């Protein structure tokens, strides 16, 4: 029996019409009806990613994400591409640390053929040996391309050292060694283990009617075996390592800098204070880092901060690209901004500006069917419930200056700071005393 029920947010929000249905095989279908638009975005989300891989299978999630596009029992890869183009479908897929997603956006009149394509893609991939060998070559080239990208390289080096020895620190793409070793049995075993209804969320948003849409999904996905009810066993939360890493590459013109500290996980009650702290520190053109380092002193073209929250941990990191001779000054000014946030209460006017910026980003981020589809899936997977815009705005408004200062004092501890420098460093060295804030 199919169980269907409306989802009632904690704070009623007339702007969102969200419903949820679980099919008999365990597949959860979420929809948000947006009658005023003509598009429908739909996506199948797998609730595991690269951090759920063993060391020898590092990169298998990303590899399988690529492989499902290489042909099914009824369509070649070329046929699939032609049919997607013929309905104007914007197909996309990605692999993250904790999720894999396959999604498509189409006009409302093309929902049925888009569902056919999405179902065929996920349910009937062939994984031929020839395609596996060919795709290994493609991903090995992707690894080379990323190794030539300084921005990617500094973030990847930072992550691998920050969560050293844990799957969360390993690259999503895998390594030359692991990708080269994948075989068809390896791919089939991973697919059978992870692509199960209980490990999936099907989310959709746009010009649709829930019951009719669920019936179409059930027609195509009800044949997917339920599999085990046992949840995927996750590794324990990783320890962080406050390393100072200098990676010398003479071929680079700039030094890429990444500095970070542990931060709360995605479900933490402190998440809104973290978002606001990040916004004020380096989240926009008016942020402290941008104004001090770029606008006032002209030391860098690109400088920003960002948060990376996961289910049991997180990081707040700062990125900058500058010359070797300017690196010590950029680092000194960055540490000074962290110290100011710890020692001085942020002005009410600055906090209000950050709140207005954050609220605008949240509301504007929900203006497309694609963003709402993603929002549905992520809130379901991390929270098991849906937050209204009013509820989120209320949480943002509740953050006070003293709370931001207390959070800064908790996060920006000198002994917790990790630093990675990549580039033409010359004889540059960094002492941990330089990170005292």
């Amino acid at each position: 029996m199919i169980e269907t029920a409306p989802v009632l947010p904690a704070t009623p929000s007339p702007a969102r019409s969200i419903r949820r249905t679980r099919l008999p095989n365990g597949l959860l279908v979420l929809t948000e009806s947006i009658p005023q638009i003509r598009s429908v975005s739909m996506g199948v989300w797998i609730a595991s990613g690269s951090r759920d891989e063993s060391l020898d299978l590092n990169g298998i999630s990303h590899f399988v994400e690529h492989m499902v596009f290489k042909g099914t029992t009824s369509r070649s890869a070329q046929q699939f591409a032609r049919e997607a183009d013929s309905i104007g479908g914007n197909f996309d897929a990605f692999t993250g640390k904790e999720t894999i997603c396959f999604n498509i956006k189409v006009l409302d009149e093309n929902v049925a053929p888009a569902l056919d394509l999405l179902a065929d893609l996920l349910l009937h991939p062939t994984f031929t040996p020839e395609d596996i060998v060919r795709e290994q070559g493609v991903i090995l080239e992707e690894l080379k391309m990323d190794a030539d990208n300084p921005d990617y390289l500094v973030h990847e080096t930072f992550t691998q050292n920050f969560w050293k020895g844990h799957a969360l620190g390993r690259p999503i793409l895998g390594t030359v060694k692991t990708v080269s070793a994948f075989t068809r049995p390896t791919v089939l075993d991973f697919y059978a283990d992870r692509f199960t209804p209980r490990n999936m969320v099907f989310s959709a948003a746009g010009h649709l009617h829930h019951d009719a849409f669920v019936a179409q999904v059930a027609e195509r996905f009800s044949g997917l075996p339920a599999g085990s009810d046992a949840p995927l066993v996750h590794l324990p939360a990783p320890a962080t390592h406050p390393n100072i890493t200098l990676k010398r590459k003479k071929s680079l013109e700039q030094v890429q800098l990444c500095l970070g500290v542990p931060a709360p996980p995605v479900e933490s009650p402190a998440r809104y204070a973290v978002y606001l702290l990040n916004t004020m520190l380096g989240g926009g053109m008016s942020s402290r880092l941008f104004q001090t380092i770029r606008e006032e002193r002209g030391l860098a073209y690109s400088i920003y901060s960002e948060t990376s929250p996961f289910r049991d941990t997180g990081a707040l990191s700062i990125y900058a690209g500058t010359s070797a001779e300017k690196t010590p000054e950029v680092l000194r000014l960055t540490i000074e901004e962290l110290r100011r946030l710890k020692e001085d209460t942020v002005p009410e006017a600055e906090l209000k500006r950050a709140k207005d910026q954050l609220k605008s980003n949240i509301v504007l981020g929900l203006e497309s069917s694609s963003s709402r589809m993603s929002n549905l899936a992520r809130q379901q997977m991390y929270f098991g419930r849906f937050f209204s815009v009013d509820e989120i705005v209320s949480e943002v408004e509740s953050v006070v200056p003293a709370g931001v200062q207390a959070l800064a004092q908790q996060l920006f501890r000198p002994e917790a700071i990790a630093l990675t420098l990549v580039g033409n460093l010359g004889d540059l060295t960094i002492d941990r005393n330089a990170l005292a804030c």
Side-chain angles (χ1 to χ4, degrees), residues 49-51 53 57-63 65 94-100 139 142-143 146 152 156 159-160 167-175 178-179 182 310:
S50 64
R51 70 167 297 180
E53 301 165 347
L57 291 181
N58 180 213
I60 188 67
S61 302
H62 175 257
F63 190 78
E65 175 229 308
F94 62 86
T95 300
K97 297 286 188 181
E98 297 181 332
T99 57
I100 312 170
I139 293 177
E142 187 177 1
L143 284 167
D146 286 341
Y152 172 88
E156 194 60 52
T159 300
Q160 290 183 33
L168 190 60
R170 297 181 200 135
I172 292 172
L173 270 61
T175 66
T178 58
V179 172
F182 294 155
F310 299 105

Side-chain angles (χ1 to χ4, degrees), residues 231-407:
L232 181 69
V233 177
H234 297 300
L235 293 172
T240 55
H241 300 270
N243 299 312
I244 296 177
T245 304
L246 277 62
K247 192 178 185 73
R248 302 180 190 275
K249 286 182 70 75
K250 292 183 178 180
S251 59
L252 298 181
E253 293 291 332
Q254 276 193 318
V255 171
Q256 312 296 313
L257 178 153
C258 190
L259 179 150
V261 295
V266 68
E267 295 180 71
S268 169
R271 61 187 179 275
Y272 297 105
V274 174
Y275 299 154
L276 290 166
L277 175 62
N278 176 67
T279 299
M280 289 182 285
L281 177 61
M285 293 177 62
S286 67
S287 67
R288 296 185 176 197
L289 289 174
F290 191 92
Q291 286 296 314
T292 298
I293 292 173
R294 172 171 162 155
E295 297 298 282
E296 293 177 13
R297 290 174 173 83
L299 296 174
Y301 174 77
S302 180
I303 178 145
Y304 59 85
S305 65
E306 60 185 351
T307 59
S308 303
F310 299 105
R311 59 179 174 247
D312 51 12
T313 188
L316 190 157
S317 54
I318 296 163
Y319 164 83
T322 188
S323 61
E325 59 269 21
K326 294 176 181 176
T327 297
E329 181 69 359
V330 169
L331 184 58
R332 184 188 69 79
L333 291 170
T334 298
I335 293 297
E336 179 59 32
E337 292 302 334
L338 302 186
R339 184 182 298 114
R340 285 181 57 212
L341 284 166
K342 292 171 62 176
E343 294 179 351
D344 303 328
T345 304
V346 297
E348 288 279 4
E350 184 181 11
L351 181 57
K352 182 182 185 304
R353 187 167 61 246
K355 288 179 178 181
D356 291 343
Q357 180 183 344
L358 183 59
K359 288 185 294 184
S360 294
N361 290 342
I362 291 168
V363 174
L364 293 175
L366 290 174
E367 288 204 338
S368 73
S369 61
S370 297
S371 60
R372 293 207 179 200
M373 178 273 294
S374 297
N375 177 265
L376 284 180
R378 293 184 187 280
Q379 291 207 32
Q380 173 63 41
M381 288 189 292
Y382 285 114
F383 299 97
R385 55 161 295 195
F386 306 95
F387 296 86
S388 70
V389 172
D390 292 341
E391 186 176 3
I392 294 171
V393 167
S394 176
E395 292 286 353
V396 170
E397 289 292 355
S398 70
V399 177
V400 298
V404 174
Q405 183 179 15
L407 179 64

Side-chain angles (χ1 to χ4, degrees), residues 135-214:
E135 199 58 31
Q136 282 172 320
V138 170
I139 293 177
L140 292 178
E141 290 302 317
E142 187 177 1
L143 284 167
K144 294 175 187 176
M145 179 182 69
D146 286 341
D148 288 338
N149 181 340
D151 188 359
Y152 172 88
L153 187 59
V154 72
H155 282 95
E156 194 60 52
T157 304
F158 173 84
T159 300
Q160 290 183 33
N161 286 285
F162 192 65
W163 286 303
K164 192 172 184 177
H166 192 279
L168 190 60
R170 297 181 200 135
I172 292 172
L173 270 61
T175 66
V176 171
K177 180 180 179 180
T178 58
V179 172
S180 299
F182 294 155
T183 64
R184 189 168 190 264
T186 302
V187 170
L188 289 171
D189 287 347
F190 178 85
Y191 172 81
D193 182 56
R194 303 297 169 88
F195 284 59
T196 62
R198 292 287 178 183
N199 200 43
M200 291 179 173
V201 171
F202 196 124
S203 62
H207 191 205
L208 53 77
H209 298 283
H210 179 79
D211 293 335
F213 184 80
V214 168

